[in-house]
Amino acid sequence: MKNIRLVNNRKNEDLVKRYAVGKRLSRARNIPSKNFINFDVETNPITILCSIKGSSNNNYIVNILENESNTFLVIHDCPDYKKGYNFCKHILKTLLVIDHEVCKKIVGNYKNIKFSSNFADIKRSKQENSAQKANKLIKEKKYLEAIEFLSQAYRQSKNLDYISRILNLSTEKDLPGQFIQYIVQHEQFIRKNSASFPKIINSIISKIDSYIFENLVGIFIKIQLLLLKLEEVERTRLLNQINFSEIENTILKFILLHKFQNKLSLEPFFIKCREFENHKDLSNKAIKKKITNIVKSEIQRAITNLDSKPYVQALMDIANNLQVKDSVVSTSELIDYKTKIENLYREGLKQKHAALRSLVISNTKTDKLEEIKFHYKYQFPTILWSNVKKNKSPLYYYILQKCGFEKHHLDYISINYFVENYPVFKHIFNSNNPLEREVKQFWKDENPSIQNTAYTHDTGELNFHLRLKDVKKYILIEWDLAQKPVLGSYICQFNDGFIIPEKDNPLTYEIKPFDLILCLKEPITIKPSNIKIFRPIRKLGIKTAIDLVYEGIVYVCSYLPFNIVADLKNHKIDEIDAYNRINQQFENIFSPKKDRFKYHFNKLMQEKVSADYNHFYQKIRNQSHSENKILNLIGFKRYKTIFRDENTVLEFSKTPLNRDCLQELRYDFKKFITAKLIDSIKNKKYHEINLKNLKSFPEFKKWTLKIIYDLKDELENSKIIKIKNGLYDISDLMRNEYGKKIVDALEIIKVEKVKNNKKMQGKFLITIEDLEKILKNLEFLRIDNPEVLSVISV
Ligand SMILES: [Zn+2]
């Protein structure tokens, strides 16, 4: 579900609201779309398969399946639903975001809906979910993710067909690592697949450089296990077919061979290795001794260097496999290393909290803190405090969200509380600090001093020209603080599943929310529930990030509007649109990097984008038949839709399009459109303008507002004429765009009673009941009611 933003459909709310008990509908409305882990909808028959992340880190399934007899089976498993509230917030949320017609079909049939939380149904449903998701991913060529879902389907059903599919898929798509992992776990497939082993193993060896060392160790230990499971004849044959000479890493090579050294001379395998160049004794024993020493010195180096835990763990796995663990590293050394790493991790956490807090403090400096409440209800030390100004700045919601609060939690508290969900230091609260002990424990200090150092500097910029050719290998991630730790990580992102940074990677400790990090594009691992682990490579400054997005790097972000940069690059918008959109979006988001983003974005526009466009324009403006290209450059097609009559703008295309620069042409074009708009407005010909389209052009905001006010005025001044027989003539009101909309929405029917009266023909006559409906609506919309003129004889 890459980049899918699930939007609540207003029209669906009308359909479901009568089933919603209590505050469930508003809660449903506020479930963020990123809580959907899967979201698949097929329409014929209706098959809705989703998983939603619940508030306590559980994943719930919501499946709505249409049966042949036009009945629906709803399968779901949250506690609220099990209590008998069929329309719990998850069901409601799902119904809100699906297509209106689909929703209508389901809830229109209320009597025919069967609600189930039956264990067997759930189990089957989960499995179908996974299998279907896998099929979809295969179509999208996302094989690694597909394998993870097939494996889930297997775990849920124990049906070996899924394993068989994984093995076929990994053979077909050349994913030898996956093949080895699953074949070792399922011995029953070994015999059937043995013919493909040499190819698979040699494939791993041939692309050994594309694996991370930790993964390689895992794979090689599994290959060794596979070899052990083979019968001797087969094993010998396989060993003869493996391209040992291509394995440069002697440790990895040794893993494959050492279990068989009582029947095998190791010398031929190692004689050409660099490490053994000056060795006279190449007996099995001597080789093992040498390898053990290599492992030992690497472990020593890694723990002194504070290399990452997975790396050290991989080395320990080797030591275990060689049964030399005790001789290569002492337990106390290992403990020492782990403590140091953990401290480093805590330090990172502290910095993260300090960063958040500095935001909180800087934004609450002017607030008076008047009340402190401690809620035991939430897992983490939670402090709520009220803000006298009732100021709902975006930051408040931001912090609320970060703290795992959903908007509906505000329902429970009377005043507008401000929430911080992290350990808090004492002097903010003077006395009455309910968390003294916890704080002290966490900070190891009663009053830690925290400076607002977090976002005052930008990271050094990367010389990206050097690496431009590698852009495809990387992904740019703007990290976000997780509402709840995801696999222990406090930061995450959401894109086609959860993304978290590699645990124990030194850079991971330093990552703070809002940080822009260049990561390896291929996830290192994919965990159940489609959680992908990415390896961070380095922190990026805003300028580099913008440049890289402009060069086409894949990115995941939630605050900074990189999409505008990408749209610019792809000519979906022009510079003026981009400026406007940047300003608009920045009004609505919270990011400490706003200003710097704007600054560097402007620079990109001046130095690159405008120059690019202009260069292209200069090149083609004198060529024959280049009119269309030039018109595209200034966004002609989109602007054309402002007017109902396309010919209005067409005039411009007939004028000479040659200017000194593209900006000048664009400026003239907008001037032309403005003139046309003014013309329509002056003559009150509002129907010539497509108001809905006009609204999407911020640069014409002034004129859009003018039209809206004029139309409102016109509506208020329209005349309703009372006629005999309790009938009213609202033709004047109907001539107004809003008047017509209101009448249409109320489904008011024109009365055609006065047939013989020529004067009344073509007039829009309605009954007094309908008139009351209209007036009530106008009142609701705070529009002064139009004047009702008294009797006019017919
Ligand atoms: Zn539910």
Side-chain angles (χ1 to χ4, degrees):
M1 49 183 293
K2 204 167 206 163
N3 297 327
I4 287 187
R5 287 265 171 249
L6 297 166
V7 182
N8 295 332
N9 191 333
R10 271 282 162 86
K11 275 157 66 191
N12 292 7
E13 266 184 36
D14 292 337
L15 293 173
V16 302
K17 65 181 171 202
R18 61 182 163 138
Y19 305 119
V21 183
K23 298 223 187 265
R24 288 183 179 77
L25 186 59
S26 71
R27 275 172 216 166
R29 226 182 269 135
N30 293 326
I31 295 178
S33 63
K34 64 178 178 184
N35 281 23
F36 277 94
I37 294 162
N38 292 330
F39 185 80
D40 284 315
V41 178
E42 305 285 331
T43 43
N44 199 15
I46 293 176
T47 314
I48 300 174
L49 304 174
C50 27
S51 316
I52 304 184
K53 216 168 130 57
S55 32
S56 55
N57 249 357
N58 292 331
N59 294 340
Y60 301 122
I61 60 156
V62 174
N63 287 358
I64 304 177
L65 312 163
E66 185 178 11
N67 295 339
E68 277 168 35
S69 49
N70 204 28
T71 55
F72 290 90
L73 174 64
V74 174
I75 305 169
H76 180 49
D77 55 349
C78 86
D80 197 35
Y81 179 87
K82 284 180 186 164
K83 259 189 258 163
Y85 291 103
N86 290 339
F87 289 90
C88 70
K89 64 174 180 179
H90 308 108
I91 300 286
L92 287 167
K93 178 71 184 181
T94 311
L95 290 170
L96 284 184
V97 298
I98 54 175
D99 189 67
H100 181 62
E101 289 308 311
V102 177
C103 178
K104 210 163 153 183
K105 232 176 144 185
I106 298 167
V107 292
N109 245 322
Y110 182 64
K111 276 185 210 152
N112 294 335
I113 308 178
K114 193 191 156 210
F115 293 91
S116 166
S117 53
N118 176 296
F119 185 68
D121 279 345
I122 301 269
K123 204 175 147 193
R124 200 184 60 234
S125 201
K126 276 190 175 166
Q127 173 201 338
E128 278 166 8
N129 239 337
S130 309
Q132 178 142 345
K133 181 77 185 169
N135 288 340
K136 207 163 182 171
L137 288 165
I138 290 171
K139 271 190 212 145
E140 292 168 12
K141 299 196 165 66
K142 294 180 179 168
Y143 305 116
L144 284 175
E145 287 94 330
I147 287 176
E148 180 47 41
F149 278 96
L150 285 171
S151 159
Q152 264 183 41
Y154 166 73
R155 287 198 300 274
Q156 283 143 3
S157 64
K158 298 285 168 238
N159 181 344
L160 283 168
D161 288 349
Y162 291 118
I163 298 299
S164 182
R165 280 187 64 193
I166 292 178
L167 294 175
N168 288 339
L169 188 65
S170 50
T171 318
E172 231 171 77
K173 304 302 170 194
D174 195 24
L175 299 168
Q178 273 62 29
F179 181 90
I180 295 290
Q181 179 187 339
Y182 286 94
I183 194 111
V184 170
Q185 282 168 12
H186 303 279
E187 288 178 39
Q188 55 270 68
F189 288 97
I190 289 183
R191 183 168 292 274
K192 209 171 112 194
N193 285 281
S194 62
S196 54
F197 293 166
K199 195 179 155 214
I200 300 264
I201 295 170
N202 286 331
S203 165
I204 293 173
I205 294 170
S206 73
K207 49 184 175 189
I208 217 160
D209 289 339
S210 66
Y211 291 93
I212 296 160
F213 180 74
E214 296 93 284
N215 287 356
L216 272 181
V217 171
I219 292 172
F220 273 69
I221 289 177
K222 283 186 184 111
I223 298 177
Q224 176 198 75
L225 207 62
L226 181 67
L227 285 162
L228 284 167
K229 285 180 179 177
L230 295 178
E231 279 168 31
E232 203 181 329
V233 190
E234 271 182 286
R235 181 192 311 141
T236 315
R237 195 188 307 138
L238 182 53
L239 281 172
N240 281 327
Q241 287 168 308
I242 296 176
N243 294 334
F244 281 100
S245 58
E246 282 181 34
I247 310 175
E248 274 178 34
N249 187 315
T250 44
I251 304 176
L252 293 175
K253 195 188 282 193
F254 193 68
I255 292 176
L256 293 193
L257 294 163
H258 77 97
K259 293 271 180 190
F260 317 109
Q261 53 179 306
N262 52 350
K263 294 186 180 156
L264 195 73
S265 163
L266 297 177
E267 185 178 344
F269 297 98
F270 291 91
I271 191 161
K272 283 190 182 148
C273 294
R274 196 169 31 86
E275 287 90 337
F276 292 89
E277 256 168 14
N278 301 318
H279 284 247
K280 280 172 195 147
D281 181 7
L282 281 173
S283 68
N284 285 4
K285 203 176 161 194
I287 288 175
K288 181 172 180 179
K289 195 175 165 204
K290 173 73 184 165
I291 298 282
T292 310
N293 281 333
I294 296 174
V295 174
K296 184 176 178 175
S297 66
E298 182 55 19
I299 290 181
Q300 293 299 345
R301 190 205 58 76
I303 62 178
T304 345
N305 235 9
L306 285 182
D307 277 359
S308 77
K309 256 196 206 167
Y311 183 74
V312 171
Q313 187 54 50
L315 293 172
M316 294 311 297
D317 289 346
I318 296 171
N320 273 333
N321 194 273
L322 307 186
Q323 291 173 326
V324 294
K325 191 184 159 213
D326 294 338
S327 63
V328 295
V329 63
S330 75
T331 318
S332 65
E333 271 176 306
L334 267 184
I335 292 175
D336 195 34
Y337 158 76
K338 277 183 187 159
T339 321
K340 277 186 192 159
I341 279 277
E342 267 154 29
N343 285 340
L344 211 60
Y345 178 64
R346 286 179 79 88
E347 206 46 54
L349 257 185
K350 276 186 198 174
Q351 273 178 28
K352 256 171 249 165
H353 289 164
L356 258 182
R357 194 174 351 279
S358 69
L359 293 173
V360 174
I361 293 166
S362 62
N363 275 273
T364 51
K365 262 196 296 214
T366 53
D367 293 345
K368 207 175 141 200
L369 305 175
E370 36 166 53
E371 196 179 328
I372 305 156
K373 280 184 185 173
F374 180 52
H375 274 228
Y376 289 94
K377 192 164 138 193
Y378 309 107
Q379 305 161 351
F380 217 72
T382 301
I383 296 277
L384 307 171
W385 76 83
S386 67
N387 166 264
V388 277
K389 280 198 257 163
K390 287 202 172 190
N391 185 358
K392 285 191 188 182
S393 77
L395 177 71
Y396 282 49
Y397 282 113
Y398 168 76
I399 298 284
L400 278 178
Q401 265 181 19
K402 292 310 110 185
C403 297
F405 268 57
E406 292 166 25
K407 269 189 196 162
H408 71 258
H409 286 118
L410 282 174
D411 297 345
Y412 299 121
I413 42 182
S414 48
I415 326 168
N416 187 19
Y417 281 103
F418 186 63
V419 182
E420 197 200 351
N421 203 10
Y422 298 92
V424 182
F425 60 99
K426 201 180 163 189
H427 70 262
I428 294 184
F429 299 101
N430 302 318
S431 58
N432 193 18
N433 183 353
L435 297 167
E436 204 170 336
R437 201 173 53 81
E438 284 90 337
V439 173
K440 195 178 173 192
Q441 251 176 16
F442 184 86
W443 294 95
K444 299 209 169 128
D445 184 354
E446 196 81 46
N447 281 310
S449 64
I450 300 165
Q451 294 167 335
N452 189 358
T453 54
Y455 295 112
T456 50
H457 60 280
D458 198 2
T459 317
E461 302 293 343
L462 184 72
N463 183 359
F464 79 90
H465 286 293
L466 291 176
R467 303 190 182 205
L468 211 51
K469 60 182 193 311
D470 294 333
V471 151
K472 283 196 178 78
K473 278 201 223 159
Y474 300 111
I475 180 167
L476 170 70
I477 302 180
E478 180 187 17
W479 292 102
D480 200 354
L481 193 74
Q483 296 192 357
K484 295 229 169 88
V486 182
L487 291 185
S489 170
Y490 279 81
I491 50 171
C492 74
Q493 247 304 348
F494 190 80
N495 179 48
D496 190 15
F498 268 103
I499 293 177
I500 59 173
E502 181 184 27
K503 205 182 165 194
D504 302 324
N505 184 303
L507 184 54
T508 297
Y509 311 135
E510 292 169 19
I511 304 178
K512 293 191 282 284
F514 308 110
D515 273 356
L516 296 163
I517 307 281
L518 191 71
C519 300
L520 273 190
K521 193 173 151 199
E522 286 300 314
I524 305 175
T525 26
I526 300 176
K527 301 266 185 194
S529 300
N530 208 12
I531 297 172
K532 293 176 186 161
I533 319 272
F534 279 77
R535 167 161 296 181
I537 301 295
R538 65 163 292 163
K539 206 179 250 192
L540 293 185
I542 302 236
K543 180 186 180 299
T544 312
I546 290 178
D547 284 343
L548 286 176
V549 171
Y550 194 73
E551 294 304 332
I553 196 170
V554 181
Y555 62 92
V556 187
C557 64
S558 35
Y559 299 98
L560 293 175
F562 285 108
N563 56 327
I564 298 175
V565 180
D567 282 355
L568 248 182
K569 169 76 177 179
N570 300 325
H571 297 283
K572 282 189 190 158
I573 52 173
D574 64 38
E575 309 107 284
I576 297 170
D577 296 331
Y579 276 124
N580 287 322
R581 275 177 57 190
I582 290 270
N583 287 329
Q584 261 190 339
Q585 289 204 18
F586 271 149
E587 278 175 26
N588 301 320
I589 62 159
F590 177 80
S591 167
K593 301 189 174 182
K594 260 189 208 183
D595 291 344
R596 279 199 309 281
F597 189 92
K598 252 188 195 172
Y599 173 79
H600 289 296
F601 182 78
N602 289 347
K603 277 195 111 173
L604 173 87
M605 297 276 256
Q606 285 155 16
E607 289 164 11
K608 204 160 174 109
V609 183
S610 296
D612 276 2
Y613 273 104
N614 209 37
H615 184 69
F616 184 58
Y617 173 67
Q618 302 285 0
K619 229 168 71 184
I620 62 166
R621 66 180 171 162
N622 291 322
Q623 292 170 0
S624 54
H625 304 301
S626 63
E627 290 85 0
N628 274 332
K629 276 188 203 159
I630 293 175
L631 289 172
N632 277 341
L633 278 179
I634 59 170
F636 185 76
K637 264 191 203 155
R638 287 190 313 112
Y639 285 99
K640 219 163 68 173
T641 64
I642 292 178
F643 298 95
R644 293 204 196 272
D645 181 2
E646 292 200 341
N647 293 318
T648 315
V649 182
L650 229 51
E651 239 175 83
F652 184 81
S653 66
K654 309 253 161 56
T655 63
L657 300 175
N658 204 335
R659 301 286 191 284
D660 282 343
C661 65
L662 184 66
Q663 281 66 29
E664 205 180 311
L665 179 70
R666 188 176 284 142
Y667 182 71
D668 286 350
F669 181 48
K670 294 194 175 171
K671 233 165 55 183
F672 173 85
I673 290 176
T674 310
K676 289 283 169 195
L677 281 173
I678 293 175
D679 194 45
S680 294
I681 294 170
K682 244 189 191 164
N683 297 312
K684 295 198 183 302
K685 293 182 176 168
Y686 306 117
H687 61 275
E688 290 179 349
I689 298 162
N690 193 337
L691 190 56
K692 198 177 144 200
N693 287 355
L694 182 63
K695 279 182 189 164
S696 63
F697 294 91
E699 66 261 50
F700 299 125
K701 194 170 173 184
K702 187 178 150 197
W703 301 111
T704 315
L705 287 175
K706 167 92 177 118
I707 294 172
I708 291 173
Y709 286 130
D710 281 2
L711 282 174
K712 188 178 169 236
D713 254 13
E714 195 187 79
L715 179 66
E716 287 175 343
N717 289 319
S718 63
K719 294 191 171 53
I720 294 170
I721 303 167
K722 186 177 175 191
I723 311 171
K724 269 183 193 168
N725 310 333
L727 293 184
Y728 290 82
D729 174 8
I730 56 162
S731 309
D732 199 26
L733 184 96
M734 287 293 282
R735 270 188 289 273
N736 178 275
E737 193 173 334
Y738 290 140
K740 187 173 182 310
K741 264 194 188 155
I742 290 166
V743 173
D744 286 349
L746 292 172
E747 291 177 0
I748 283 167
I749 300 158
K750 184 174 171 181
V751 182
E752 302 268 12
K753 265 187 190 165
V754 218
K755 274 185 189 150
N756 298 330
N757 194 324
K758 273 194 179 166
K759 213 171 134 194
M760 284 292 124
Q761 259 172 23
K763 299 267 178 181
F764 203 105
L765 302 183
I766 58 167
T767 60
I768 185 153
E769 288 83 9
D770 279 347
L771 178 69
E772 269 164 15
K773 269 197 233 166
I774 294 175
L775 295 183
K776 216 179 231 171
N777 263 277
L778 293 176
E779 200 182 318
F780 181 71
L781 296 169
R782 298 181 184 206
I783 289 169
D784 288 337
N785 280 341
E787 190 183 357
V788 179
L789 293 179
S790 45
V791 195
I792 288 182
S793 66
V794 188

mmCIF file of all heavy atoms in Angstrom, residues 31 52 60-62 76-82 85-92, ligand 1:
data_model
loop_
_atom_site.group_PDB
_atom_site.id
_atom_site.type_symbol
_atom_site.label_atom_id
_atom_site.label_comp_id
_atom_site.label_asym_id
_atom_site.label_seq_id
_atom_site.Cartn_x
_atom_site.Cartn_y
_atom_site.Cartn_z
ATOM 1 N N ILE A 31 -8.660 7.256 13.588
ATOM 2 C CA ILE A 31 -7.595 6.243 13.444
ATOM 3 C C ILE A 31 -6.733 6.661 12.255
ATOM 4 O O ILE A 31 -7.249 6.845 11.155
ATOM 5 C CB ILE A 31 -8.193 4.845 13.171
ATOM 6 C CG1 ILE A 31 -9.009 4.377 14.374
ATOM 7 C CG2 ILE A 31 -7.091 3.838 12.868
ATOM 8 C CD1 ILE A 31 -9.673 3.025 14.178
ATOM 9 N N ILE A 52 -5.405 -4.064 11.013
ATOM 10 C CA ILE A 52 -5.267 -2.727 11.601
ATOM 11 C C ILE A 52 -4.502 -2.859 12.895
ATOM 12 O O ILE A 52 -4.728 -3.774 13.682
ATOM 13 C CB ILE A 52 -6.656 -2.105 11.899
ATOM 14 C CG1 ILE A 52 -7.498 -2.066 10.640
ATOM 15 C CG2 ILE A 52 -6.498 -0.711 12.478
ATOM 16 C CD1 ILE A 52 -8.833 -1.386 10.801
ATOM 17 N N TYR A 60 -5.272 -6.347 14.581
ATOM 18 C CA TYR A 60 -6.581 -6.961 14.407
ATOM 19 C C TYR A 60 -6.848 -7.123 12.936
ATOM 20 O O TYR A 60 -6.408 -6.316 12.125
ATOM 21 C CB TYR A 60 -7.663 -6.071 15.029
ATOM 22 C CG TYR A 60 -7.457 -5.811 16.492
ATOM 23 C CD1 TYR A 60 -7.337 -4.511 16.969
ATOM 24 C CD2 TYR A 60 -7.364 -6.868 17.389
ATOM 25 C CE1 TYR A 60 -7.132 -4.271 18.311
ATOM 26 C CE2 TYR A 60 -7.164 -6.637 18.730
ATOM 27 C CZ TYR A 60 -7.049 -5.335 19.200
ATOM 28 O OH TYR A 60 -6.838 -5.099 20.517
ATOM 29 N N ILE A 61 -7.617 -8.166 12.623
ATOM 30 C CA ILE A 61 -7.991 -8.296 11.224
ATOM 31 C C ILE A 61 -9.408 -7.788 11.042
ATOM 32 O O ILE A 61 -10.239 -7.883 11.946
ATOM 33 C CB ILE A 61 -7.888 -9.749 10.709
ATOM 34 C CG1 ILE A 61 -8.823 -10.640 11.517
ATOM 35 C CG2 ILE A 61 -6.495 -10.272 10.781
ATOM 36 C CD1 ILE A 61 -9.195 -11.859 10.728
ATOM 37 N N VAL A 62 -9.647 -7.197 9.909
ATOM 38 C CA VAL A 62 -11.008 -6.843 9.523
ATOM 39 C C VAL A 62 -11.206 -7.429 8.134
ATOM 40 O O VAL A 62 -10.570 -6.992 7.187
ATOM 41 C CB VAL A 62 -11.214 -5.321 9.457
ATOM 42 C CG1 VAL A 62 -12.595 -5.008 8.898
ATOM 43 C CG2 VAL A 62 -11.047 -4.681 10.821
ATOM 44 N N HIS A 76 -13.751 -10.289 12.586
ATOM 45 C CA HIS A 76 -12.913 -9.312 13.269
ATOM 46 C C HIS A 76 -12.657 -9.815 14.687
ATOM 47 O O HIS A 76 -13.375 -10.663 15.191
ATOM 48 C CB HIS A 76 -13.631 -7.960 13.270
ATOM 49 C CG HIS A 76 -12.861 -6.861 13.954
ATOM 50 N ND1 HIS A 76 -11.555 -6.595 13.691
ATOM 51 C CD2 HIS A 76 -13.254 -5.956 14.893
ATOM 52 C CE1 HIS A 76 -11.162 -5.574 14.438
ATOM 53 N NE2 HIS A 76 -12.173 -5.175 15.182
ATOM 54 N N ASP A 77 -11.636 -9.272 15.333
ATOM 55 C CA ASP A 77 -11.243 -9.878 16.607
ATOM 56 C C ASP A 77 -10.828 -8.915 17.702
ATOM 57 O O ASP A 77 -10.089 -9.289 18.588
ATOM 58 C CB ASP A 77 -10.125 -10.892 16.357
ATOM 59 C CG ASP A 77 -8.938 -10.288 15.625
ATOM 60 O OD1 ASP A 77 -9.057 -9.152 15.134
ATOM 61 O OD2 ASP A 77 -7.892 -10.945 15.536
ATOM 62 N N CYS A 78 -11.271 -7.652 17.672
ATOM 63 C CA CYS A 78 -10.863 -6.785 18.772
ATOM 64 C C CYS A 78 -11.784 -7.007 19.972
ATOM 65 O O CYS A 78 -12.881 -7.541 19.831
ATOM 66 C CB CYS A 78 -10.847 -5.319 18.351
ATOM 67 S SG CYS A 78 -12.433 -4.490 18.507
ATOM 68 N N PRO A 79 -11.361 -6.616 21.184
ATOM 69 C CA PRO A 79 -12.156 -6.886 22.387
ATOM 70 C C PRO A 79 -13.548 -6.239 22.337
ATOM 71 O O PRO A 79 -14.533 -6.837 22.756
ATOM 72 C CB PRO A 79 -11.327 -6.275 23.516
ATOM 73 C CG PRO A 79 -9.955 -6.116 22.980
ATOM 74 C CD PRO A 79 -10.072 -5.989 21.503
ATOM 75 N N ASP A 80 -13.610 -5.016 21.825
ATOM 76 C CA ASP A 80 -14.867 -4.287 21.752
ATOM 77 C C ASP A 80 -15.878 -5.053 20.897
ATOM 78 O O ASP A 80 -17.044 -5.214 21.247
ATOM 79 C CB ASP A 80 -14.578 -2.904 21.140
ATOM 80 C CG ASP A 80 -15.713 -1.926 21.383
ATOM 81 O OD1 ASP A 80 -16.337 -2.013 22.458
ATOM 82 O OD2 ASP A 80 -15.966 -1.089 20.497
ATOM 83 N N TYR A 81 -15.379 -5.548 19.776
ATOM 84 C CA TYR A 81 -16.211 -6.303 18.837
ATOM 85 C C TYR A 81 -16.702 -7.593 19.480
ATOM 86 O O TYR A 81 -17.863 -7.959 19.381
ATOM 87 C CB TYR A 81 -15.361 -6.588 17.600
ATOM 88 C CG TYR A 81 -16.011 -7.387 16.494
ATOM 89 C CD1 TYR A 81 -16.750 -6.749 15.504
ATOM 90 C CD2 TYR A 81 -15.838 -8.764 16.419
ATOM 91 C CE1 TYR A 81 -17.316 -7.474 14.461
ATOM 92 C CE2 TYR A 81 -16.391 -9.497 15.383
ATOM 93 C CZ TYR A 81 -17.134 -8.856 14.402
ATOM 94 O OH TYR A 81 -17.669 -9.579 13.375
ATOM 95 N N LYS A 82 -15.781 -8.234 20.186
ATOM 96 C CA LYS A 82 -16.146 -9.503 20.822
ATOM 97 C C LYS A 82 -17.203 -9.293 21.903
ATOM 98 O O LYS A 82 -17.959 -10.189 22.233
ATOM 99 C CB LYS A 82 -14.908 -10.178 21.412
ATOM 100 C CG LYS A 82 -14.036 -10.830 20.354
ATOM 101 C CD LYS A 82 -12.825 -11.485 20.982
ATOM 102 C CE LYS A 82 -11.873 -12.016 19.921
ATOM 103 N NZ LYS A 82 -10.555 -12.291 20.504
ATOM 104 N N TYR A 85 -20.265 -5.268 20.256
ATOM 105 C CA TYR A 85 -20.439 -4.053 19.459
ATOM 106 C C TYR A 85 -19.953 -4.346 18.041
ATOM 107 O O TYR A 85 -18.779 -4.203 17.732
ATOM 108 C CB TYR A 85 -19.624 -2.892 20.061
ATOM 109 C CG TYR A 85 -20.165 -2.427 21.386
ATOM 110 C CD1 TYR A 85 -19.541 -2.778 22.568
ATOM 111 C CD2 TYR A 85 -21.311 -1.634 21.425
ATOM 112 C CE1 TYR A 85 -20.057 -2.360 23.786
ATOM 113 C CE2 TYR A 85 -21.822 -1.217 22.645
ATOM 114 C CZ TYR A 85 -21.196 -1.580 23.819
ATOM 115 O OH TYR A 85 -21.704 -1.162 25.004
ATOM 116 N N ASN A 86 -20.870 -4.782 17.208
ATOM 117 C CA ASN A 86 -20.459 -5.196 15.864
ATOM 118 C C ASN A 86 -19.756 -4.084 15.121
ATOM 119 O O ASN A 86 -18.828 -4.311 14.369
ATOM 120 C CB ASN A 86 -21.684 -5.643 15.070
ATOM 121 C CG ASN A 86 -22.217 -6.957 15.613
ATOM 122 O OD1 ASN A 86 -21.482 -7.684 16.279
ATOM 123 N ND2 ASN A 86 -23.478 -7.240 15.355
ATOM 124 N N PHE A 87 -20.235 -2.858 15.337
ATOM 125 C CA PHE A 87 -19.604 -1.740 14.649
ATOM 126 C C PHE A 87 -18.615 -1.059 15.598
ATOM 127 O O PHE A 87 -18.846 0.026 16.099
ATOM 128 C CB PHE A 87 -20.664 -0.772 14.111
ATOM 129 C CG PHE A 87 -21.420 -1.351 12.959
ATOM 130 C CD1 PHE A 87 -22.583 -2.091 13.166
ATOM 131 C CD2 PHE A 87 -20.957 -1.197 11.663
ATOM 132 C CE1 PHE A 87 -23.275 -2.647 12.100
ATOM 133 C CE2 PHE A 87 -21.641 -1.759 10.590
ATOM 134 C CZ PHE A 87 -22.799 -2.482 10.804
ATOM 135 N N CYS A 88 -17.519 -1.753 15.849
ATOM 136 C CA CYS A 88 -16.475 -1.175 16.677
ATOM 137 C C CYS A 88 -15.710 -0.177 15.807
ATOM 138 O O CYS A 88 -15.964 -0.063 14.611
ATOM 139 C CB CYS A 88 -15.531 -2.267 17.167
ATOM 140 S SG CYS A 88 -14.548 -2.931 15.835
ATOM 141 N N LYS A 89 -14.748 0.518 16.413
ATOM 142 C CA LYS A 89 -14.096 1.580 15.639
ATOM 143 C C LYS A 89 -13.328 1.044 14.425
ATOM 144 O O LYS A 89 -13.210 1.731 13.415
ATOM 145 C CB LYS A 89 -13.191 2.431 16.529
ATOM 146 C CG LYS A 89 -12.012 1.721 17.144
ATOM 147 C CD LYS A 89 -11.126 2.734 17.869
ATOM 148 C CE LYS A 89 -9.930 2.049 18.491
ATOM 149 N NZ LYS A 89 -9.045 3.003 19.182
ATOM 150 N N HIS A 90 -12.844 -0.188 14.521
ATOM 151 C CA HIS A 90 -12.078 -0.721 13.379
ATOM 152 C C HIS A 90 -12.978 -1.028 12.189
ATOM 153 O O HIS A 90 -12.631 -0.766 11.047
ATOM 154 C CB HIS A 90 -11.317 -1.982 13.793
ATOM 155 C CG HIS A 90 -10.482 -1.783 15.023
ATOM 156 N ND1 HIS A 90 -10.805 -2.320 16.235
ATOM 157 C CD2 HIS A 90 -9.357 -1.053 15.216
ATOM 158 C CE1 HIS A 90 -9.904 -1.959 17.142
ATOM 159 N NE2 HIS A 90 -9.011 -1.179 16.539
ATOM 160 N N ILE A 91 -14.141 -1.641 12.501
ATOM 161 C CA ILE A 91 -15.093 -1.948 11.429
ATOM 162 C C ILE A 91 -15.554 -0.635 10.805
ATOM 163 O O ILE A 91 -15.599 -0.477 9.578
ATOM 164 C CB ILE A 91 -16.300 -2.719 12.005
ATOM 165 C CG1 ILE A 91 -15.850 -4.020 12.643
ATOM 166 C CG2 ILE A 91 -17.349 -2.966 10.911
ATOM 167 C CD1 ILE A 91 -15.453 -5.103 11.705
ATOM 168 N N LEU A 92 -15.867 0.329 11.681
ATOM 169 C CA LEU A 92 -16.344 1.619 11.178
ATOM 170 C C LEU A 92 -15.277 2.284 10.312
ATOM 171 O O LEU A 92 -15.561 2.793 9.234
ATOM 172 C CB LEU A 92 -16.730 2.531 12.347
ATOM 173 C CG LEU A 92 -18.033 2.138 13.069
ATOM 174 C CD1 LEU A 92 -18.170 2.888 14.377
ATOM 175 C CD2 LEU A 92 -19.255 2.399 12.184
HETATM 176 ZN ZN ZN B 1 -12.526 -3.535 16.503
#
